[in-house]
Amino acid sequence: MIKGLIRTTLRIDNNLKTRIELLAIKNNISFNKMIIYLIELGYNSYMNKFDKYYETQNKILKSEVNSNEEN
């Protein structure tokens, strides 16, 4: 994976920022690394849910096709 510098703006409220800062301090990493970690965590969980959704949709479609072929 090639890492590069990407400048973005992230607007978060002070309460969330404080909680992220405390997590970073607790885990002895920088604030920016903690934000990157949380974004990656969220992305991975989103993709898992996305994949599961399409797996179930494929099963539903296959069962509908099978039931139509039987009739």
Side-chain angles (χ1 to χ4, degrees):
M1 181 172 146
I2 300 173
K3 288 193 174 189
L5 180 63
I6 299 173
R7 190 170 297 271
T8 60
T9 302
L10 183 65
R11 291 181 175 230
I12 56 176
D13 66 344
N14 286 334
N15 187 19
L16 181 59
K17 183 180 177 186
T18 303
R19 288 187 281 159
I20 293 171
E21 286 173 342
L22 291 174
L23 272 174
I25 291 168
K26 181 179 178 182
N27 291 305
N28 199 23
I29 60 175
S30 71
F31 178 73
N32 287 338
K33 285 184 181 180
M34 180 55 78
I35 286 181
I36 291 169
Y37 173 73
L38 292 173
I39 290 171
E40 287 176 355
L41 242 167
Y43 176 77
N44 288 334
S45 65
Y46 171 79
M47 289 308 292
N48 288 338
K49 289 179 184 177
F50 188 78
D51 290 342
K52 287 179 186 177
Y53 170 77
Y54 278 101
E55 285 175 11
T56 57
Q57 292 301 314
N58 284 337
K59 288 179 185 177
I60 292 170
L61 288 173
K62 285 180 183 177
S63 66
E64 288 177 357
V65 168
N66 289 338
S67 66
N68 288 336
E69 288 176 354
E70 291 175 359
N71 294 335

